[in-house]
Structures are given as structure tokens and as C-alpha cells.
Amino acid sequence: MSTTAVSLKEAHAILHHQASALLADPGLAHQLPPALLWGPPGVGKSSVVRNVCEELGIAFIDVRLSQREPVDLRGLPVPREDRVDWLLSSEWPRDPDSAGILLFDEITAVDRSLQVAAYELLLDRRLGDLYRVPDRWYLCAAGNREEDGAAALGLSSALANRFCHLEVTAELEPWLHWAQAQGLHPDVLGFLRYRPDCFLQLEGDLQRGWPSPRSWERVAHQLTLAEQTGLGEGPLQRIVEGLVGAGAAAELAAFRSWSGALVDAEAILRGESRAVIPERADQCYALCAALVYHLWRGPESERAHRNVSTFIRRLRRFFLITVSPRWAPPRLGVEWSAAHRVH
């Protein structure tokens, strides 16, 4: 039976709980099992660990095992007269009062010799008599699955038994909420609401660009940069293709061409233009995404909220509307659902 999948939000809560427990009681260091985050590339496994550290104000060390040798973990032997001393990596935390999370990333992409080198650290939190992990450091790892087409050699049963395994899955709605707060380009948000199947695609040629949460974030940054620098549509399209593949890039380009014909969202918020409700569903998604984007980033304005409320009442023909303060801007109190009414 496969492990029940957890969202990034749930993974965040679990890691936050474990790290917080160590901060409160370092004596739990040998009782809390290391977590192993499984999931396809680009879903944000290492990012969620980094975010937990930022929230707790603790250190974060990311050890990319696929770029290491066993000697990097065990230490380098140095002859000293009639004995051998060991020089350990300077990246291991030394301060006994320090706190953080030590992530062994890409653990499934390395051969057994390197996995064996990590055994002692993960199980006993030490390297012989040479080094001991400070008690307020939580240990975890991340790896890709064989079915995702990533470099994955699997784990030995001995190493696997040392972890609490979490099967991480990518979810569109939480990512959209995060992307909105980060101010990512509204065209990407509107497109993914309209075509959620393009959010993560593990079919096709995975040795080239393919859609994932990580690649869509990069596309959003490229769209913003292209607007600032005046990059032409041709070169921009090649960049997007290189990030998410030709199919998703072509769909996004078509979506952007439709959304470009819409009325200026900022003019609607200022009350300078009356929004005409598009007949096409894709154009509705694009206009809604643009309105939320500018309302979120703009200054607090009763007039803008009033104009959006007017727009929402006229939009009932196309969208289901639910009252919820979950991610709406202050005092707006509505959420636009992606459930398009079939008519």
C-alpha cells in the first residue's frame, strides 16, 4: 500500500512541529525521526524546509548529496606520524547552542556508498567520536521517485527504515495563493486557473522543459522582466518553451493574446472604465486574475473595493462566488472560485 500523499502545507506543518519541538526540548533529538520528503522535481520540497527555517528564525543547511563524495560526509583522512586524523567539513554546525534544519537533498539520486556514509549521521546524529550534531538541529532529507523520470536509485531498506516518509504532492490552489502574495505575473495565475491540468505534467519529454510549480514561477518572472526590458514576443516565447515545453508555452501564448484584448484592470479599479464581461471563459479568467493582482498590490482604496464588488455582481453569469476571507485583500471578503458555470 502506498503512502498517503500530503500537501506542501501539511508537510510545512509537520516540519514546523518537529523543529519547534527540538527548540523547546533539545532532549528529544534522538527520539524525533528524520523526515524524508518524496515527490516529483520542482514541487517545492527543499523550499518548504527553507520556509520553516525562516519562520522559526533558525539556520538552514542544504547538502546536495548528488554533488558529494563519501569523504565529504565522513571526513578526509590525514596521516599524522603513527596515526590518522580526520578533517571534517566546515559546513557541519559546531555551536552546541545553535539551531536549524539539516537537509540531505537528492538522497535518492546517489549510489549506495554515499547513502551508507549518511547512515550514522541520520541514525545516531554523529560521525564516530569526531563529530556530534547539536541537539537543536532537526535532520531531514528529500528525494525524487523513480516514476517521475528523475535520477532515482532507490533506498536500501536499512536507510529507509530511519525516516518518517512523507509523499509530497503539488496542489494548485495553495500555490496560487502564495504566487498572488509574491506578486507573480497575473497572466500565469489566470492561465493556470483556466488550465489547471498544465500546473504539473510528468508526461512527455522530461529531459527538456516541462510544467511544474518551479518552472511556472520562473515563467512569471520572465514575463515581468520582458515587460520591463521590452523583449520581443519571439525570444520570450522561446524562453517560455525552454521552461515549460512547447505545448504549455503555446497555450499560455494564446491565453495571453486573448487577455491582451481585455479592458485595463487598473482602469476598472479606478472607476475610469466600465468592465465588459467577456463572453469567452478564458478571457473571464484572465480579467479576474488581473483584477485580483492589481487590487492586492495597489494601495488600500474603498473605491477600488466598491468597483470590484460591482464587477463581481455582474460576473454571476460566469462564475460561482463564495464568501470567504481566506485570501482576499483586506476588507474585500470574497473569493473567486475557479468553478466555471457550464451554460
Side-chain angles (χ1 to χ4, degrees):
M1 182 180 294
S2 60
T3 304
T4 302
V6 301
S7 66
L8 283 175
K9 183 177 180 180
E10 292 172 317
H12 181 283
I14 293 171
L15 294 174
H16 193 285
H17 171 269
Q18 303 291 72
S20 297
L22 277 185
L23 292 177
D25 182 5
L28 296 174
H30 290 273
Q31 300 178 28
L32 296 178
L36 174 52
L37 307 181
W38 291 87
V43 299
K45 298 186 295 295
S46 57
S47 295
V48 75
V49 180
R50 183 180 291 105
N51 291 341
V52 169
C53 292
E54 292 174 353
E55 287 185 8
L56 294 176
I58 58 178
F60 173 62
I61 297 178
D62 186 350
V63 180
R64 299 292 171 120
L65 287 177
S66 61
Q67 303 172 17
R68 304 300 178 93
E69 297 290 339
V71 69
D72 296 327
L73 273 64
R74 295 171 174 160
L76 180 66
V78 179
R80 302 286 188 186
E81 298 177 354
D82 61 344
R83 67 183 188 277
V84 173
D85 289 341
W86 291 82
L87 298 179
L88 297 179
S89 171
S90 61
E91 68 184 328
W92 304 128
R94 298 299 205 281
D95 184 355
D97 296 323
S98 63
I101 296 181
L102 183 56
L103 170 65
F104 292 89
D105 206 353
E106 301 173 348
I107 194 170
T108 56
V110 301
D111 61 29
R112 293 298 169 87
S113 65
L114 191 51
Q115 290 182 8
V116 169
Y119 277 12
E120 197 170 15
L121 271 173
L122 291 166
L123 179 62
D124 299 324
R125 299 175 59 91
R126 64 190 303 163
L127 291 171
D129 296 327
L130 303 173
Y131 173 73
R132 176 181 173 183
V133 180
D135 287 342
R136 298 171 77 222
W137 280 78
Y138 182 64
L139 305 181
C140 65
N144 300 319
R145 307 167 303 185
E146 295 181 15
E147 61 264 32
D148 296 326
L153 302 177
L155 296 178
S156 69
S157 58
L159 182 57
N161 194 238
R162 285 156 169 78
F163 287 107
C164 169
H165 297 263
L166 302 175
E167 191 85 14
V168 178
T169 184
E171 293 185 341
L172 178 58
E173 283 301 323
W175 187 88
L176 288 173
H177 298 164
W178 169 85
Q180 185 70 57
Q182 297 298 312
L184 297 189
H185 200 286
D187 286 359
V188 171
L189 277 63
F191 171 70
L192 291 177
R193 280 198 176 278
Y194 177 65
R195 286 285 284 116
D197 290 346
C198 289
F199 181 52
L200 177 65
Q201 293 182 343
L202 296 172
E203 300 81 18
D205 187 359
L206 298 181
Q207 298 186 49
R208 298 292 189 270
W210 52 277
S212 73
R214 176 169 56 202
S215 57
W216 282 119
E217 178 185 356
R218 292 175 175 174
V219 167
H221 288 310
Q222 288 294 326
L223 294 183
T224 300
L225 181 61
E227 291 177 354
Q228 296 170 351
T229 61
L231 181 67
E233 286 299 321
L236 176 60
Q237 184 66 8
R238 302 291 84 76
I239 292 174
V240 176
E241 287 181 6
L243 290 170
V244 296
E251 289 197 57
L252 175 63
F255 182 87
R256 295 188 72 218
S257 69
W258 302 326
S259 64
L262 301 176
V263 119
D264 185 354
E266 289 185 285
I268 295 175
L269 295 179
R270 293 192 300 266
E272 298 172 359
S273 175
R274 183 176 183 274
V276 176
I277 306 299
E279 288 295 325
R280 297 173 58 128
D282 48 13
Q283 292 179 339
C284 278
Y285 277 86
L287 181 55
C288 288
L291 283 170
V292 173
Y293 174 82
H294 291 295
L295 185 61
W296 188 284
R297 291 170 60 88
E300 181 77 7
S301 169
E302 288 287 352
R303 184 178 185 182
H305 292 164
R306 185 169 58 253
N307 291 333
V308 169
S309 296
T310 301
F311 175 79
I312 291 173
R313 286 194 295 272
R314 299 178 56 226
L315 198 60
R316 290 181 183 275
R317 176 184 173 190
F318 293 93
F319 286 87
L320 300 177
I321 299 174
T322 59
V323 178
S324 170
R326 217 170 19 134
W327 63 275
R331 294 191 285 126
L332 180 58
V334 295
E335 176 187 1
W336 287 325
S337 169
H340 180 257
R341 177 174 295 168
V342 179
H343 62 283

